[in-house]
Amino acid sequence: MTSLPLRPPRLHRGDRLALVAPAGRFSSKVLERATSNFSSSGLTLELPAPLLRRHPLFAAEDTHRLMAMQTALDSTDYRGILAVRGGYGTSRILPGLSLDSLARHPKVIIGFSDLTVLHLFLARKLDLISFHGPMLLSGFRNYRHNALKTFTNFFLQQNQGDLLLPQGTSTVFLRRGEAEGRLVGGNLTMLAHSLGTPFEVDTVGRILFLEDINEPLYKIDRSLTQLALAGKLSSVAAVILGIFLDRDMPIARKKVGASVLEKLPSGVPVVADFPISHGPENCYLPHNARACLRKTRPDLVLPEPCFEN
């Protein structure tokens, strides 16, 4: 029998979430607006350490971002951690993180894009389920009822056996089939960059999900080729393609799909148009949790709980 991964407790109304900024810069006004928009979720956002410090690339220098992230991981006051935004910089602080406290007191950790490497790191080091999906600015910079509903439905109500595909969304099979395995993936560029690192993506027997932004088709193919040459596409259980954006315009599914299909063994199912992206279509996926792809429908089902209770 396959052992269950480490699972965080479910969130409840009134819980406190720590805001962290392990990557790019942002303005205080945008942060305040997004925090206000998030307030009707029933959860409280708090800053374990000041986030905004002058730096040309990042929200703050490496030592400060590391300290803020470590405080959020260690404090038992917080039931979860929500990243403010992606950008670049998360991988620079990973070697300095201690996960001892998180291993004893797992938390819900949410982010995507540059945070892809954090999900890989947590899966490798702790076998922890973390959550790929909208961050504070990408999800709540502008008030959107659907964003709040998606968040609360997933983190306050998600159950074993539930569909991971939100209502009203449509996906398609590029190659029909069924599969079961742990969900792993995220931003394609970051997955390719993980190769050769201690948190290199593990795809054996996994359902691999992919998305990217501001990458033309030839760069997408280059990253896919890098994964293929590293042996990362030869043993996947299935591939789930999100929305690939170039200059805010989606790249045709057939073009991305053709690049993927030619690199996969025959029989590996592929689903396209899954709502994971840097655009408004971005659902939450439990990274490192087991999921099932059914042959009859191009969606994903949770056969096991992704929360401890």
Side-chain angles (χ1 to χ4, degrees), residues 20 27 64-65 67 78 121 124 133 147 167 173 182 206 212 229 232 242 247 294:
V20 297
S27 74
H64 188 83
R65 299 194 330 278
M67 178 191 69
Y78 303 118
F121 181 77
R124 282 284 192 181
Q167 289 185 346
F173 274 116
R182 299 270 193 104
R206 310 297 174 102
D212 218 323
L229 292 174
K232 298 300 180 179
R247 299 178 184 177
R294 299 177 292 183

Side-chain angles (χ1 to χ4, degrees), residues 269-286:
V270 178
V271 172
D273 292 349
F274 210 90
I276 44 175
S277 75
H278 277 71
E281 304 86 7
N282 196 15
C283 67
Y284 293 97
L285 290 180

Side-chain angles (χ1 to χ4, degrees), residues 23-27 51-62 65 85-89 92:
R25 302 170 61 188
F26 51 90
S27 74
L51 294 177
L52 293 170
R53 296 167 70 92
R54 291 186 178 275
H55 194 282
L57 291 178
F58 313 120
E61 62 273 14
D62 288 354
R65 299 194 330 278
R85 61 156 296 185
Y88 165 64
R92 292 170 59 99

Side-chain angles (χ1 to χ4, degrees), residues 210-237:
L210 304 169
E211 64 83 34
D212 218 323
I213 186 171
N214 292 337
E215 299 290 347
L217 186 61
Y218 83 90
K219 289 188 177 181
I220 291 171
D221 186 78
R222 181 168 62 192
S223 291
L224 289 169
T225 299
Q226 187 175 359
L227 290 177
L229 292 174
K232 298 300 180 179
L233 300 182
S234 59
S235 300
V236 293

Side-chain angles (χ1 to χ4, degrees), residues 232-254:
K232 298 300 180 179
L233 300 182
S234 59
S235 300
V236 293
V239 174
I240 307 295
L241 297 177
I243 312 300
F244 289 76
L245 299 173
D246 183 18
R247 299 178 184 177
D248 296 326
M249 294 297 294
I251 300 173
R253 83 164 76 99
K254 288 185 178 180

Side-chain angles (χ1 to χ4, degrees), residues 4 13 36 44 82-83 150 177 243 247:
L4 290 173
R13 294 189 184 278
S36 176
T44 301
L82 176 63
T150 298
I243 312 300
R247 299 178 184 177

